[in-house]
């Protein structure tokens, strides 16, 4: 992770505040490299405004988060989110800073519609995956051994595809059934427990996997000894969708590989709600398990659950309406 962190120069009246904020985030284990780069840009932006040292004024904040001609919703939201965090940090350490309201950047518009697999589709997909056979002249002769396990990790653990393909042998502890996810999307390492069933499947697979030399001992080794890339996994994914009778809506419409992650979360929430579990105590656990940066990324799955399973929509509104506050979401 360290080799991914770059030194970024800060300047202007907010130099020390930016440096302190980034230092705090990194001390908590976040890489915060792209964020530091963006704050470096912000510090140069602040030079055009007459602001006192270590004071984040309302004018400066609003100019920074204002909509730009080339902005997408997500670009504008990213600037808003980062400056909000900086402002809260500054207030916490005794500086004066204006914290913008979420409403100041308008509504976010959904740019995608997640595909939530039904339980029947999940069964059909893994039946197709388990039906893969060894092909003598294939360029990937171990594909039939790897793919059923890898796809189960995506669905059963809610992993990002990049996290699964980057697993090393040492990251899969078969004695405890725990995965170590290193340097994930937000630069933090997290530990992901597997179910006993998945641990057993991984143990059986481990007896046949190609073991490489450190540091390149990939748990899912490609034929060339490296790790699989996302395109190769997606190609098999599309093949298995066809075999399982699950239609694909075309480019950008899904199902996508990432929809296994969405489906894991929604199915998990569905089960909890059906069991009458208290989401106020369960959701923080899910946020940590998924590797989300904060609760807002997990919150969207509450809405998805209510939308996909109408029979529990009323229960969601009655008991957890105070958690689900709106319909503005960004893809995580």
């Amino acid at each position: 992770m360290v080799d991914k962190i770059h030194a970024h120069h800060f300047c202007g009246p907010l130099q020390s505040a930016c440096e302190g904020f980034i230092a705090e985030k990194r001390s908590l284990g976040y890489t915060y490299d792209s964020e530091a780069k963006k704050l470096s840009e912000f510090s140069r932006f602040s030079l055009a405004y007459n602001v006192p040292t270590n004071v984040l004024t309302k004018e400066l904040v609003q100019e920074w988060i204002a909509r730009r001609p080339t902005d997408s919703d997500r670009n504008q939201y990213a600037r808003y989110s980062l400056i909000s965090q900086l402002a809260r940090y500054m207030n916490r350490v005794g500086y004066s800073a204006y914290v913008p309201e979420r409403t100041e950047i308008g509504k976010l518009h959904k740019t995608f519609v997640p595909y939530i697999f039904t339980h029947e589709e999940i069964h059909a997909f893994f039946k197709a995956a388990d039906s893969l056979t060894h092909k003598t002249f294939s360029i990937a002769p171990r594909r039939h051994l790897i793919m059923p396990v890898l796809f189960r990790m995506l669905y059963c653990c809610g992993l990002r595809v990049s996290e699964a393909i980057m697993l090393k042998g040492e990251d899969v502890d078969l004695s405890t059934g725990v995965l170590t996810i290193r340097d994930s999307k937000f630069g933090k390492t997290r530990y992901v427990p597997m179910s006993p069933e998945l641990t057993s499947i991984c143990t059986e697979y481990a007896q046949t996997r190609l073991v490489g030399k450190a540091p390149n001992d990939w748990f899912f080794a490609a034929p060339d000894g490296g790790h699989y890339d996302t395109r190769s996994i997606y190609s098999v994914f599309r093949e298995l969708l066809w075999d399982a009778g699950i239609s694909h809506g075309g480019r950008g419409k899904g199902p996508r590989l990432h929809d296994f992650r969405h489906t894991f979360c929604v199915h998990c929430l569905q089960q909890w709600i059906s069991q009458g579990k208290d989401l106020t105590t369960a959701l923080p656990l899910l946020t940590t398990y998924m590797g989300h940066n904060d609760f807002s990324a997990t919150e969207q799955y509450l809405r998805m659950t209510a939308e996909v399973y109408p029979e529990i929509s009323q229960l969601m509104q009655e008991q957890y309406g105070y958690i689900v506050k709106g319909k503005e979401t960004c893809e995580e």
Side-chain angles (χ1 to χ4, degrees):
M1 182 174 72
V2 176
D3 61 353
K4 293 187 177 182
I5 297 178
H6 302 90
H8 295 284
H9 175 69
F10 303 99
C11 58
L14 295 164
Q15 176 180 348
S16 61
C18 291
E19 291 173 343
F21 171 66
I22 295 299
E24 179 182 84
K25 285 293 186 179
R26 289 177 174 171
S27 70
L28 295 172
Y30 293 95
T31 305
Y32 251 59
D33 187 59
S34 61
E35 292 84 353
K37 181 179 180 180
K38 181 59 67 175
L39 272 188
S40 176
E41 177 187 331
F42 169 71
S43 71
R44 295 191 298 273
F45 179 86
S46 70
L47 294 174
Y49 296 82
N50 184 24
V51 297
T53 301
N54 290 326
V55 174
L56 186 58
T57 65
K58 181 178 181 179
E59 177 193 14
L60 177 58
V61 169
Q62 291 184 333
E63 288 293 329
W64 173 252
I65 66 176
R67 186 83 176 188
R68 301 172 185 177
T70 58
D71 262 347
S72 66
D73 285 347
R74 296 189 68 179
N75 286 341
Q76 185 184 23
Y77 182 83
R79 290 200 308 277
Y80 156 79
S81 177
L82 187 58
I83 207 67
S84 296
Q85 293 179 62
L86 174 65
R88 292 189 181 94
Y89 161 80
M90 291 179 65
N91 285 333
R92 194 169 66 251
V93 299
Y95 298 141
S96 175
Y98 174 74
V99 181
E101 295 290 336
R102 172 63 187 79
T103 54
E104 292 183 52
I105 62 170
K107 286 188 175 182
L108 289 177
H109 303 285
K110 276 184 153 182
T111 57
F112 81 109
V113 177
Y115 186 97
I116 306 302
F117 291 90
T118 66
H119 293 282
E120 292 74 19
E121 287 175 332
I122 288 295
H123 282 296
F125 182 90
F126 285 115
K127 182 178 180 180
D130 292 338
S131 298
L132 289 171
T133 57
H134 172 73
K135 295 181 180 179
T136 305
F137 301 105
S138 171
I139 61 172
R142 302 184 69 256
R143 188 183 71 155
H144 65 295
L145 299 173
I146 292 173
M147 297 303 162
V149 183
L150 190 151
F151 285 123
R152 280 182 168 87
M153 273 194 183
L154 297 183
Y155 170 66
C156 297
C157 298
L159 298 187
R160 301 176 179 94
V161 181
S162 59
E163 294 171 344
I165 61 179
M166 295 301 290
L167 285 170
K168 301 286 185 69
E170 64 182 1
D171 298 329
V172 184
D173 190 332
L174 297 173
S175 62
T176 61
V178 175
L179 304 175
T180 300
I181 309 299
R182 304 181 190 276
D183 193 20
S184 63
K185 183 176 180 180
F186 299 104
K188 294 195 74 173
T189 293
R190 73 183 192 279
Y191 302 98
V192 177
M194 296 186 289
S195 68
E197 293 80 8
L198 181 57
T199 302
S200 177
I201 289 172
C202 288
T203 301
E204 184 177 343
Y205 161 74
Q207 296 173 2
T208 66
R209 79 177 183 89
L210 294 178
V211 178
K213 295 181 179 179
N216 296 320
D217 178 21
W218 304 105
F219 192 69
F220 298 114
D224 63 358
H227 63 77
Y228 275 87
D229 61 36
T230 303
R231 289 175 299 178
S232 299
I233 305 302
Y234 180 71
S235 177
V236 180
F237 173 68
R238 287 290 300 271
E239 175 187 331
L240 294 177
L241 287 178
W242 178 269
D243 292 342
I246 302 171
S247 61
H248 193 278
R251 183 175 178 83
K253 296 183 179 180
R256 309 166 307 161
L257 279 168
H258 198 70
D259 288 327
F260 271 139
R261 181 169 162 87
H262 289 290
T263 300
F264 160 80
C265 211
V266 170
H267 284 183
C268 185
L269 286 167
Q270 180 205 18
Q271 184 179 38
W272 284 348
I273 293 169
S274 299
Q275 293 172 349
K277 291 191 176 181
D278 182 6
L279 293 191
T280 58
T281 57
L283 282 171
L285 298 177
L286 184 60
T287 295
T288 302
Y289 188 92
M290 297 288 289
H292 287 160
N293 204 22
D294 53 46
F295 174 71
S296 62
T298 311
E299 183 182 355
Q300 65 174 297
Y301 294 105
L302 285 166
R303 303 189 192 98
M304 291 182 197
T305 305
E307 292 168 3
V308 175
Y309 298 97
E311 69 275 12
I312 60 173
S313 180
Q314 183 177 353
L315 176 64
M316 290 281 291
Q317 186 59 39
E318 290 174 355
Q319 298 190 17
Y320 305 109
Y322 63 95
I323 301 178
V324 188
K325 298 180 181 178
K327 292 189 176 182
E328 297 167 0
T329 64
C330 280
E331 182 176 4
E332 180 274 328

